[in-house]
């Protein structure tokens, strides 16, 4: 077995989550704690009250809240670690994002079959249509069911990869112009580095945004599988 840098940074993300949430239970019980505990307790509460409960309701949302919190913070910490100099962005690997999307897909299928029933889940994929159209509509809805996690996988992977490619392209301009003339290379470096720093600042926002989007869409997709009538 070979430990890759992506695996190392995934493990680091998990360890950082445990460290950051270490004081959260005590803060929720007593109301006391350091700024880190208050910040992450507030973040978890916001995700519960503004993302999970409005879509899934309190009863169902409370049961699935640990999974969605884990997804959000795991993606967030992996994204942020990728911005550290020398770090690796695990979410810029399609296999990592595919595994994350696979968790959502498994929850959709298994959860839907548990709540609705094994047969009723597949039956409810197709709305009320003429019998002659039922096989075609079933195929279309089945493709739509599979496309949802694929969209999650590609969206996260493409956004995190695209930002890094933009930074590398801008930094590469320094070496490109430097190969033409050292003077041109030195003259272009402030512009290239400045633009690269600007992209990195944007990526800091994207790291949070992509965790939010992935988690929000996962909540919507799972809820649609559990209660297709809503």
């Amino acid at each position: 077995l070979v430990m890759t840098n992506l695996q190392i940074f995934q493990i680091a993300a998990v360890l950082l989550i445990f460290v950051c949430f270490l004081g959260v239970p005590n803060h929720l019980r007593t109301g006391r704690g350091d700024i880190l505990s208050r910040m992450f307790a507030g973040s978890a509460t916001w995700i519960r009250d503004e993302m999970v409960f409005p879509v899934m309701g309190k009863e169902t949302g409370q049961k699935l809240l640990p999974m969605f919190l884990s997804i959000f913070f795991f993606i967030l910490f992996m994204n942020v670690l990728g911005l550290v100099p020398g770090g690796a962005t695990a979410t810029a690997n399609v296999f990592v994002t595919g595994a994350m999307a696979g968790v959502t897909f498994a929850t959709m299928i298994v959860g839907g079959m548990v709540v609705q029933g094994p047969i009723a889940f597949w039956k409810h994929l197709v709305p009320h249509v003429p019998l002659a159209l039922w096989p075609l509509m079933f195929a279309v809805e089945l493709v739509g069911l599979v496309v949802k996690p694929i969209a999650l996988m590609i969206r996260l992977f493409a956004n995190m990869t695209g930002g890094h490619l933009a930074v590398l392209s801008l930094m590469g301009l320094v070496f490109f112009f430097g190969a033409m003339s050292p003077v041109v290379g030195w003259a272009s470096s402030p512009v290239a580095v400045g633009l690269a720093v600007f992209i990195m600042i944007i990526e800091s926002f994207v790291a949070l945004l992509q965790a939010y989007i992935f988690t929000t869409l996962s909540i919507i997709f799972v809820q649609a599988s559990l209660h297709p009538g809503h």
Side-chain angles (χ1 to χ4, degrees), residues 6 90-100 153-154 157 161:
L6 295 182
T91 46
N93 185 289
V94 71
F95 295 104
V96 175
T97 60
M100 299 292 296
M153 172 185 70
I154 295 176
F157 159 73
T161 303

Side-chain angles (χ1 to χ4, degrees), residues 145-176:
L145 186 68
V146 176
V147 164
K148 290 177 181 177
I150 293 177
L152 286 177
M153 172 185 70
I154 295 176
R155 178 183 285 105
L156 180 58
F157 159 73
N159 277 280
M160 301 313 299
T161 303
H164 293 337
L165 288 177
V167 173
L168 291 173
S169 299
L170 290 169
M171 296 302 295
L173 290 176
V174 178
F175 300 97
F176 176 76

Side-chain angles (χ1 to χ4, degrees), residues 2 13 31 40 42 58 61 77 88 107 109 130 155-156 166 168 194 197 199 213 215 221:
V2 179
F40 280 98
K58 188 172 183 179
F77 275 76
T107 307
I109 301 299
R155 178 183 285 105
L156 180 58
L168 291 173
V197 171
I199 295 297
I213 292 175
T215 307
F221 293 160

